[in-house]
């Protein structure tokens, strides 16, 4: 059996980020996935500026739009527009983005293979063996990047580990009769503990509902009613649901030779619902940790914990911010109308800058607004 430097399960953004960096460093890396690409993937497909900076290659070839403004809505008639001199994000279609990232990763030297269901993961002092129905793969390390329903995570921690939690989103492709808007839009009156969104994709809009609340229920009928209320007559297709993986900020420290990244490791942001940045950042951290270990440095799991510490802290702040923001929407919307905080908000969303500082400023504003000293 061939022994790889690393095996990566899952060929989405997290898995490709890890495999790309490992291959670029000259490591032998095998990328495994159950799907044949291109494959459909439910996702709004927005790449924020921090995500674009993190990627190792440009994605102009699969970019559909580059909006420079965000419309934020509380209720009918309550609207604020957050503007930026530069594009806030790049709009992609996940089916196109994932195939593009996989091809870039293969071109860098990673090998790709389709597999069936993983039935066992075995570790010892020298490596990891991944067993599927009829196949086995051996490597020095394993990266679990197989999404919110991760089989790797289930085999390590059980079906529902206490530290892991899920959000949910439902989306559709929309082609309004009156044409497509060019700005992003977030509607906070649409869902408890979340928002409705509209993302421009040049020839269509991606519209959906997101909640980080475990008690808020979304279904097809609710999404279609929201789209009809917003757009009237429109062609609607591709209604699909997606779960998001949260909890990396409270996950136990990585152990052994298996590292969880992306949604599999709970690296999605509960405040914004963004998952691609956390996927790429955690995937690259796993690659760096494994590379250091293969060079004889510290154990990969300890390096991974250290490398992802800033990201986990941001997610901890985001989780706290989500509870406050969605629990105080009237005040939250007022905050978005304050020029200084509005600029800080769009910077935090697009660039991931000064999240902890922004949280302190928001709390101070809320304290003063509520009559505190």
């Amino acid at each position: 059996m061939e022994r790889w430097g690393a095996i990566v399960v899952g060929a989405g953004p997290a898995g490709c980020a890890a495999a790309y960096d490992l291959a670029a460093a000259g490591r032998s890396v095998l990328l495994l996935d159950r799907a044949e690409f291109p494959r459909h993937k439910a996702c709004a497909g927005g790449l924020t500026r921090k995500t674009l900076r993190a990627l190792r290659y440009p994605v102009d070839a699969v970019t559909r739009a580059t909006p420079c403004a965000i419309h934020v809505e509380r209720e009918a008639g309550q609207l604020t527009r957050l503007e930026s001199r530069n594009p806030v994000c790049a709009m992609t279609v996940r089916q196109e983005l994932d195939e593009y990232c996989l091809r870039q990763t293969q071109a860098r030297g990673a090998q790709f293979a389709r597999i069936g269901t993983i039935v066992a993961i075995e570790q010892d002092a020298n490596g990891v063996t991944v067993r599927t129905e009829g196949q086995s793969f051996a490597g020095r390390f394993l990266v679990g990047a197989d999404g919110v329903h991760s089989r790797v995570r289930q085999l390590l921690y059980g079906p529902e580990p206490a530290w892991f939690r899920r959000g949910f989103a439902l989306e559709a492709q929309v082609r309004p009769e009156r044409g497509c808007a060019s700005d992003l839009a977030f509607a906070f009156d649409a869902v408890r503990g979340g928002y409705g969104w509209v993302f421009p994709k040049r020839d269509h809009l991606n519209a959906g509902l997101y909640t980080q609340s475990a008690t808020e229920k979304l279904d097809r009928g609710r999404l279609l009613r929201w789209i009809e209320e917003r757009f009237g007559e429109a062609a609607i297709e591709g209604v699909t649901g997606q779960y998001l993986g949260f909890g990396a900020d409270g996950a136990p420290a990585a152990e052994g030779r298996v590292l969880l990244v992306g949604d599999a490791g709970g690296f999605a942001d509960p405040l914004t619902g963004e998952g691609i940045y956390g996927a790429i950042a955690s995937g690259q951290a796993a690659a760096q940790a494994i590379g250091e270990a293969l060079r004889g440095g510290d154990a990969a799991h300890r390096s991974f914990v250290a490398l992802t510490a800033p990201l986990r802290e941001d997610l901890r702040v985001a989780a706290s911010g989500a509870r406050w923001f969605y629990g105080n929407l009237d005040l939250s919307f007022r905050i978005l109308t304050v020029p200084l905080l509005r600029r800080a908000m769009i910077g935090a969303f697009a660039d991931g800058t000064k999240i902890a500082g922004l949280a302190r400023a928001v709390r101070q504003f809320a304290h003063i607004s509520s009559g505190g000293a």
Side-chain angles (χ1 to χ4, degrees):
M1 189 190 308
E2 182 173 1
R3 191 177 190 83
W4 300 86
I7 297 172
V8 180
V9 177
C16 282
Y20 186 97
D21 279 9
L22 285 163
R27 304 299 178 183
S28 63
V29 55
L30 177 63
L31 188 56
L32 303 174
D33 202 293
R34 296 179 62 183
E36 181 178 356
F37 288 71
R39 53 95 191 264
H40 175 73
K41 176 70 175 181
C43 177
L47 305 182
T48 54
R49 292 194 297 241
K50 62 180 181 287
T51 305
L52 296 172
R53 287 196 300 270
L55 280 165
R56 306 302 192 203
Y57 39 80
V59 291
D60 301 35
V62 290
T63 296
R64 296 291 194 98
T66 53
C68 291
I70 304 174
H71 285 272
V72 181
E73 305 165 16
R74 173 66 179 103
E75 293 176 347
Q78 288 184 299
L79 176 107
T80 189
R81 190 169 189 261
L82 312 181
E83 298 185 33
S84 173
R85 294 178 181 176
N86 300 309
V88 176
C89 57
M91 288 295 152
T92 68
V93 174
R94 272 295 297 271
Q95 180 174 333
E96 299 171 358
L97 175 67
D98 285 5
E99 182 186 21
Y100 179 78
C101 291
L102 175 58
R103 303 311 171 212
Q104 295 292 315
T105 304
Q106 289 179 289
R108 206 68 177 89
Q111 299 298 305
F112 174 75
R114 291 187 65 193
I115 58 170
T117 301
I118 297 173
V119 298
I121 294 172
E122 301 166 1
Q123 299 187 63
D124 59 30
N126 297 312
V128 183
T129 300
V130 177
R131 300 195 187 279
T132 69
E133 297 169 340
Q135 293 177 293
S136 294
F137 307 91
R140 296 284 302 280
F141 295 94
L142 172 64
V143 178
D146 47 340
V148 70
H149 303 298
S150 170
R151 180 64 173 159
V152 175
R153 187 188 65 246
Q154 291 172 10
L155 290 170
L156 288 178
Y157 296 102
E160 293 293 336
W163 59 269
F164 187 81
R165 61 190 187 278
R166 292 178 173 86
F168 183 67
L170 201 60
E171 65 174 43
Q173 295 181 19
V174 181
R175 290 179 171 81
E177 287 190 347
R178 59 177 181 268
C180 297
S182 58
D183 290 346
L184 299 174
F186 293 96
F188 291 102
D189 61 339
V191 179
R192 284 191 305 110
Y195 54 79
W197 80 79
V198 179
F199 282 11
K201 300 294 179 73
R202 193 170 60 221
D203 63 342
H204 71 279
L205 301 172
N206 178 282
L209 302 174
Y210 156 72
T211 182
Q212 48 86 44
S213 170
T215 60
E216 182 74 343
K217 303 302 179 184
L218 303 179
D219 58 32
R220 179 186 177 93
R222 185 171 178 181
L223 173 62
L224 294 179
R225 287 191 297 275
W226 183 73
I227 292 174
E228 183 179 3
E229 290 170 1
R230 190 175 187 94
F231 298 107
E233 292 293 327
I236 301 172
E237 57 188 35
V239 177
T240 50
Q242 56 174 308
Y243 284 94
L244 298 87
F246 306 137
D249 55 305
E255 295 182 358
R257 292 177 171 269
V258 182
L259 307 176
L260 294 177
V261 300
D263 275 333
F267 282 95
D269 185 326
L271 177 59
T272 64
E274 181 185 12
I276 298 178
Y277 173 73
I280 292 169
S282 59
Q284 291 172 346
Q288 184 175 341
I290 290 170
E292 291 172 356
L294 290 173
R295 290 193 298 271
D298 199 4
H301 65 273
R302 285 196 289 269
S303 294
F304 182 67
V305 170
L307 290 165
T308 56
L311 177 58
R312 293 175 194 269
E313 174 59 18
D314 281 349
L315 292 174
R316 186 193 65 78
V317 174
S320 175
R323 290 190 293 271
W324 187 90
F325 185 92
Y326 294 118
N328 300 273
L329 273 179
D330 288 335
L331 184 54
S332 298
F333 189 83
R334 285 179 57 199
I335 288 170
L336 294 176
T337 66
V338 177
L340 181 61
L341 289 176
R342 185 165 55 196
R343 288 193 295 272
M345 283 283 186
I346 200 167
F349 171 76
D351 298 313
T353 55
K354 302 177 182 177
I355 292 177
L358 173 62
R360 287 193 294 271
V362 168
R363 285 195 295 269
Q364 183 178 12
F365 175 84
H367 182 61
I368 293 172
S369 297
S370 60

